Structure formats: C-alpha cells, structure tokens
Amino acid sequence: MKNLKLIIFSFIVLLIYSCNKNADNKHSSSTKVKEITYTTTVDKASEHENKNPNFPTTKGRISDIVKKKFEIQYTAEGDLNGDGLPDQVLVLRQKSDTLLSRTVLILLKNKNSTFKLDKISDILLPDEYNEAGFKKYDPEDIIIEKGMLKVNFYNPAPYGNLFFNFKYINNDLVLTYIETYNVGAGSWQSLYYEPLKGKFTQEVTNTMEEEMPAKTKTILVKKQKFLFENSSPDDIISKVYSENDVLDN
C-alpha cells in the first residue's frame, strides 16, 4: 500500500514539473516572436526615413512639391530627359531670407501631367549678392535648349560672365561645359572647360595693343564626370585654372 502511495505521489510531482516546463517553453517562444517582429518594424521605418525635409513630397503637382516657405524665382521649361514631355527647372529662394543660397530643382514631367522631383542642388548657383548687397550677375538666364540645361550669368566686371551646361546621360544629369569671361587691366580672358573630354582652353586678348592680339593655350586634363547635385561650376573651373600652367594675363 505504501508503495502504491509513493508511486502515485511521484507521478503527480512529475506531472506538475512537465506542465511548468511546457509553460516556460511557450513563454520563451512567445518572447522570441515579439523580438523578431519589433526588429522588422524598425528596419522598415528606417528604409522610409525622410532624407530631405525641405521636399518630403517628390511626386505630384508643383504646388505639392514646392512648399510655401519657398518662392519661385526662375522657371525653365523643355524636354531634358528625351521622353518628349516638357520638364521644368525651378530656382527657389526662401521667403524668410532671399539673401540665402538658392535651391535648384529638376522636375521631370509624368504622362499624367504631374512631376517627379529628380534632382536637387543647393550649391549649383553662386551667391546672388556680394558682401555690399549688390547683385553679382545681371541678367541671369536659365533655359532648356536641345535637351540641355543652360545657365548664363552676365557681368562685365569684376565677376565677368559665367556660362555652364548640363545634360542627361542615362539617369545622371552631367556637367558638359563651363565658360567664363573676365575683363582685367590691359587684357580680356576667356576660359573654356569640357570635363567629359578633359579639355581646358584659355584665351587671353591683349587690349594694350592696337590690333589686340590674342594668345590661346589648350591643356589636356583629367576627364571627370560632375553630377548636377554635387557641382558648383564656379568652383570647378576656378580649381582647374589654379591647378594648370596657364598663360600670363
């Protein structure tokens, strides 16, 4: 009889232990599922993190993309990417301070008459005003012509003219040409730079002589690909000029 009671007691203890162990296993399994779900949610959120808070909307009408904090200073229209649809280039200034650097947007037209914000640059254009508050270039001309974005800034002195072009090559908007023209004491100087060809040309005209003879020097430099969103043409040509053996003015 004692043996029977001992067997029954042992069986009850074993049953209780088994139930507790199963409960622990279920709790552990449930905890792991929650951890995996949490990690996945965080990853998905980071994938959609907004990288440009000034332009959170990249598709839609122009009024959807350009927020009220900006004013549109210039607009250029034409087919940039070769799909037959009229794209737009916008030069924006902040309403709160129009002396701040300007932002340039490339808007590609969709077939449903909306736009896709394809490129953004805050460094493309030089400062609009100098330290004294005077406009550096006047006029400023921005157009789309034959599939190219052309920017032409005019000023006889002291800054001179600054012209540059960009063109879509595959999906990249690439710098293809820069030209500057400056008038100095006794000479005029023009610089021409084609980064994709690695060709840099300097032309100096001597205005002190009656016939105003000109000297030209062409230098082959490293071929480079400058993207719209990372390019300051004014700084680029200044660097090429300073790094090469050029003619004396």
Side-chain angles (χ1 to χ4, degrees):
M1 189 68 176
K2 288 183 179 181
N3 290 337
L4 180 59
K5 289 181 179 180
L6 182 61
I7 292 171
I8 294 173
F9 176 78
S10 299
F11 177 79
I12 292 172
V13 171
L14 181 61
L15 182 62
I16 292 171
Y17 174 79
S18 298
C19 290
N20 289 338
K21 187 173 182 180
N22 288 336
D24 289 341
N25 288 337
K26 288 180 180 179
H27 177 71
S28 175
S29 176
S30 176
T31 303
K32 289 180 180 178
V33 170
K34 287 182 180 179
E35 288 174 352
I36 293 171
T37 303
Y38 175 77
T39 302
T40 303
T41 302
V42 171
D43 287 344
K44 286 183 177 180
S46 64
E47 287 175 2
H48 295 88
E49 183 181 357
N50 180 23
K51 295 182 179 180
N52 196 319
N54 286 327
F55 304 97
T57 302
T58 58
K59 293 181 181 180
R61 298 168 298 176
I62 291 177
S63 58
D64 298 325
I65 297 171
V66 179
K67 299 306 177 183
K68 294 181 179 180
K69 65 184 289 187
F70 294 102
E71 66 178 19
I72 299 176
Q73 184 183 21
Y74 302 124
T75 301
E77 183 174 286
D79 183 12
L80 268 177
N81 60 346
D83 62 358
L85 299 174
D87 309 308
Q88 290 207 20
V89 177
L90 305 182
V91 178
L92 308 180
R93 296 190 296 193
Q94 291 199 32
K95 292 180 180 179
S96 60
D97 189 349
T98 57
L99 297 180
L100 294 175
S101 61
R102 294 173 286 180
T103 300
V104 184
L105 306 184
I106 305 298
L107 300 173
L108 300 181
K109 189 75 173 285
N110 297 317
K111 290 183 178 180
N112 62 358
S113 297
T114 62
F115 289 90
K116 170 192 172 185
L117 175 55
D118 193 54
K119 311 290 182 188
I120 304 173
S121 176
D122 294 318
I123 63 172
L124 181 78
L125 304 183
D127 292 338
E128 187 173 3
Y129 297 92
N130 61 19
E131 295 81 1
F134 293 101
K135 204 168 172 64
K136 282 187 175 182
Y137 298 98
D138 193 13
E140 297 177 329
D141 186 25
I142 299 175
I143 61 173
I144 298 173
E145 184 178 77
K146 296 181 179 179
M148 285 193 293
L149 170 61
K150 296 186 174 184
V151 179
N152 301 321
F153 284 2
Y154 300 88
N155 189 330
Y159 303 104
N161 298 338
L162 172 64
F163 307 149
F164 53 86
N165 301 340
F166 280 85
K167 183 178 180 179
Y168 266 98
I169 299 177
N170 297 324
N171 294 320
D172 295 326
L173 189 56
V174 180
L175 179 67
T176 59
Y177 180 76
I178 309 177
E179 177 183 337
T180 64
Y181 173 76
N182 296 88
V183 177
S187 66
W188 302 337
Q189 176 178 252
S190 297
L191 303 176
Y192 310 93
Y193 178 42
E194 298 174 82
L196 294 177
K197 296 180 180 180
K199 184 178 179 182
F200 178 71
T201 300
Q202 179 195 23
E203 183 179 278
V204 177
T205 301
N206 186 347
T207 58
M208 300 297 289
E209 297 184 22
E210 186 175 350
E211 295 181 356
M212 294 197 301
K215 294 187 294 184
T216 301
K217 183 174 184 178
T218 297
I219 304 170
L220 296 180
V221 297
K222 179 182 177 182
K223 296 179 181 179
Q224 296 196 67
K225 181 179 178 182
F226 296 103
L227 301 181
F228 169 87
E229 54 268 34
N230 303 324
S231 297
S232 168
D234 193 20
D235 292 342
I236 289 171
I237 197 164
S238 296
K239 184 178 180 181
V240 175
Y241 178 78
S242 64
E243 290 179 347
N244 289 278
D245 182 20
V246 295
L247 297 168
D248 293 329
N249 293 345

